[in-house]
């Protein structure tokens, strides 16, 4: 592991007996569980592959052409069938370690079939036809689904997701010959885009009022969330214009141009099949057009978007989500500059900017600080920098709803805004 001073030291893993081992760290770790977050893999399968071919050998073990039934599982289920573009069938793992208070293995159901459907409207149609057990609905369908509940299904609600999708901009120097690279690398440009994000309009128009504005970096569930550290660049088109002008952009005849007389125009990529994201992108484009910036919305297949982010680096701006930081050091592959998923410019050989170098320093220091007052100073500065630099701009936290068939006993069904639906402890109701 990397130490606060940048040196590398070894983490020893010591076997205690046949089933237990311990990690011995070279320094104090604020959250050891995150540092030991590794998937348990059967050594009789993985060790020979690694010894023979290294990590490339491990990656080739289960390629796209392998029989899914041969993929080992230490989890609750294993894959028993896969039909491309149609469905996945999971069978309960009889050797899974967890049991309820009565000693009964979980999950209770023996099989789970996941239908592969690329369109949310088709998902909804399948649920209405009784062909699926549950459905995560969006705000536009809420009235219809809630009004339709009764003997067939029940709708559950959580207060709101702790995570949020965000808008981000490509700052990878691979694109340095493109005008957008110069624009996106300017802090003032990113701040101006934040000032064009009309969250109130998005909440009312897209989520029917069933969402809240995301103006913080750490969610409230994070122990270092600070309600006083919030985004300063909220919706304000006049402020956006001032920021652009301060960065050298010029407005002529209602259109913004850069210092080389190139019109400010760029792409916003989204994945298809989700009406909500499409509506949000359209609102962003509409608000930008009002001050003379043209944003072209492009629908990109999710797998292609992943390739663009991780290997091709040829995207311009996009909307995506990466989950929740319930502890500051979650996302170790995203926030440090050297991370594989440091989206706006991943795998930096050295920090590209002074602020990213400072984020790296704070991340390392915070990872090894357990004294509360000192850790708060570190993480306060950390989140303040990110909210000031705007490499990503969080959108909204929608309230979450799920509908589930009444044939299931809800006594042990749990639904919250952190983990979603917990349905491993439910039985089918007795007739």
């Amino acid at each position: 592991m990397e130490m606060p001073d940048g040196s590398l030291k070894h983490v020893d893993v010591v076997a205690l007996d046949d089933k237990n081992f311990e990690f011995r760290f070279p320094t104090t770790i604020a959250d050891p569980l995150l540092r030991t977050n590794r998937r348990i893999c059967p050594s009789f399968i993985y060790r020979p592959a690694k010894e023979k071919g290294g990590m490339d050998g491990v990656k080739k073990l289960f390629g796209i052409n392998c029989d899914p039934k041969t993929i080992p599982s230490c989890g609750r289920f294993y894959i028993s069938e896969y039909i491309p573009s149609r469905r996945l069938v999971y069978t309960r793992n009889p050797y899974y370690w967890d049991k309820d208070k009565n000693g009964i293995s979980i999950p209770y159901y023996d099989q789970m079939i996941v239908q592969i459907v690329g369109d949310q409207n088709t998902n909804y149609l399948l649920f209405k036809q009784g062909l699926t057990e549950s459905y995560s609905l969006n705000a536009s369908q809420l009235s219809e689904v809630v009004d339709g509940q009764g003997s067939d299904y029940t709708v559950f609600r959580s207060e709101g997701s702790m995570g949020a999708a965000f808008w981000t901009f490509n700052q990878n120097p691979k694109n340095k010959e493109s005008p957008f690279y110069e624009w996106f690398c300017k802090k003032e440009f990113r701040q101006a885009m934040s000032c064009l994000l009309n969250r109130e309009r998005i909440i009312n128009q897209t989520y029917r009022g069933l969402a809240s504005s995301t103006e913080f970096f750490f969610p409230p569930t994070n122990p270092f969330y600070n309600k006083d550290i919030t985004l300063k660049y909220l919706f304000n088109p006049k402020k956006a214009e001032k920021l652009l002008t301060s960065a050298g952009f010029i407005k002529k005849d209602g259109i913004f141009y850069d210092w080389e007389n190139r019109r400010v125009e760029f792409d916003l990529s989204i994945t298809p099949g989700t009406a909500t994201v499409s509506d949000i992108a359209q609102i962003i484009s509409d608000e930008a057009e009002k001050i003379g910036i043209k944003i072209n919305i492009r629908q990109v297949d999710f797998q292609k978007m992943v390739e663009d982010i991780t290997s091709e680096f040829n995207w311009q701006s996009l909307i995506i989500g990466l989950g929740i930081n319930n502890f500051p050091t979650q996302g170790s592959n995203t926030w440090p500059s050297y991370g594989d998923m440091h989206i706006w410019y991943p795998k930096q050989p050295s920090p590209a900017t002074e602020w990213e170098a400072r984020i790296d320093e704070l991340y390392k220091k915070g990872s090894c600080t357990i004294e509360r007052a000192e850790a708060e100073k570190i993480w306060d500065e950390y989140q303040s920098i990110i909210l000031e630099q705007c490499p990503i701009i969080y959108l909204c936290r929608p309230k979450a709803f799920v509908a589930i068939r009444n044939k299931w006993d809800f006594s042990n069904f749990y639904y919250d805004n952190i983990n979603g639906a917990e349905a491993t402890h439910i039985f089918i109701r007795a007739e």
Side-chain angles (χ1 to χ4, degrees), residues 43-314:
S43 61
F44 71 92
I45 294 175
Y46 286 88
R47 180 179 292 153
K50 185 176 181 182
E51 290 176 347
K52 184 177 179 180
M55 287 308 299
D56 285 339
V58 173
K59 292 176 182 178
K60 292 176 183 177
L61 269 177
F62 302 106
I64 194 169
N65 295 320
C66 80
D67 182 350
K69 293 192 291 294
T70 65
I71 300 175
S73 171
C74 293
R76 295 169 176 171
F77 295 93
Y78 61 87
I79 300 174
S80 54
E81 182 184 355
Y82 170 54
I83 301 176
S85 302
R86 289 181 58 190
R87 68 177 188 173
L88 273 164
V89 179
Y90 295 93
T91 298
R92 185 171 69 89
N93 181 356
Y95 304 106
Y96 186 62
W97 62 272
D98 203 6
K99 294 179 173 60
D100 66 15
K101 63 182 180 180
N102 296 315
I104 300 174
S105 295
I106 61 170
Y108 296 148
Y109 39 93
D110 292 322
Q111 194 175 73
M112 179 170 63
I113 300 172
V114 178
Q115 297 194 47
I116 301 172
V117 182
D119 179 74
Q120 190 169 17
N121 292 326
T122 304
N123 260 326
Y124 183 33
L125 181 63
L126 291 171
F127 180 74
K128 289 201 296 184
Q129 293 174 344
L131 299 177
T132 55
E133 298 300 312
S134 64
Y135 177 67
S136 297
L137 52 148
N138 61 39
S140 64
Q141 302 161 335
L142 185 61
S143 296
E144 181 180 353
V145 177
V146 169
D147 291 344
Q149 69 180 328
S151 60
D152 186 30
Y153 64 85
T154 299
V155 177
F156 293 83
R157 164 190 162 175
S158 73
E159 184 55 31
S161 170
M162 287 294 105
F166 56 78
W167 183 21
T168 188
F169 308 88
N170 192 344
Q171 300 177 58
N172 195 309
K174 178 182 177 181
N175 304 292
K176 62 184 178 182
E177 302 302 322
S178 302
F180 72 81
Y181 171 76
E182 295 182 62
W183 308 337
F184 294 171
C185 285
K186 288 184 174 292
K187 174 182 69 174
E188 295 83 2
F189 182 91
R190 302 191 300 269
Q191 292 168 342
M193 295 304 101
S194 182
C195 290
L196 292 178
L197 185 61
N198 191 340
R199 291 181 179 85
E200 184 176 352
R201 181 180 169 188
I202 290 171
I203 290 169
N204 293 329
Q205 185 174 316
T206 303
Y207 292 109
R208 309 299 194 269
L210 298 169
S212 58
S213 177
T214 303
E215 300 168 9
F216 44 78
F217 179 70
F218 289 149
T221 53
N222 193 303
F224 294 97
Y225 164 75
N226 186 335
K227 64 181 177 60
D228 297 323
I229 300 177
T230 58
L231 179 67
K232 299 175 183 176
Y233 304 97
L234 301 176
F235 181 64
N236 187 333
K238 293 292 185 184
K239 187 174 181 178
E241 294 196 40
K242 288 181 180 179
L243 285 163
L244 290 169
T245 302
S246 71
F249 294 90
I250 303 163
K251 192 171 185 178
K252 297 184 295 186
D253 299 323
I255 304 295
F256 263 107
Y257 297 85
D258 70 4
W259 41 91
E260 293 187 14
N261 205 36
R262 298 172 296 194
R263 181 176 183 182
V264 180
E265 177 180 352
F266 60 92
D267 294 342
L268 170 56
S269 298
I270 60 173
T271 53
T274 305
T276 301
V277 177
S278 180
D279 289 346
I280 292 172
Q282 190 57 57
I283 290 171
I284 291 173
S285 176
D286 182 49
E287 295 292 352
E289 187 175 7
K290 290 177 182 177
I291 72 161
I293 292 176
K294 187 175 182 182
I295 299 179
N296 306 306
I297 301 169
R298 296 181 62 241
Q299 294 204 353
V300 179
D301 177 76
F302 179 74
Q303 186 57 44
K304 176 64 169 63
M305 183 177 285
V306 171
E307 291 174 3
D308 288 344
I309 293 170
T310 58
S311 59
E312 299 298 325
F313 313 122
N314 57 2

Side-chain angles (χ1 to χ4, degrees), residues 337-338 345 348-358 360 364:
S337 63
Y338 46 81
Y345 176 15
Q348 297 179 19
S350 60
T353 61
E354 289 184 9
W355 71 266
E356 285 173 293
R358 181 59 178 162
D360 288 357
K364 294 170 189 173

Side-chain angles (χ1 to χ4, degrees), residues 158 162 324 326 414-423:
S158 73
M162 287 294 105
I324 309 168
N326 285 322
Y414 186 70
Y415 187 62
D416 69 12
N417 59 355
I418 300 177
N419 301 304
E422 176 55 68

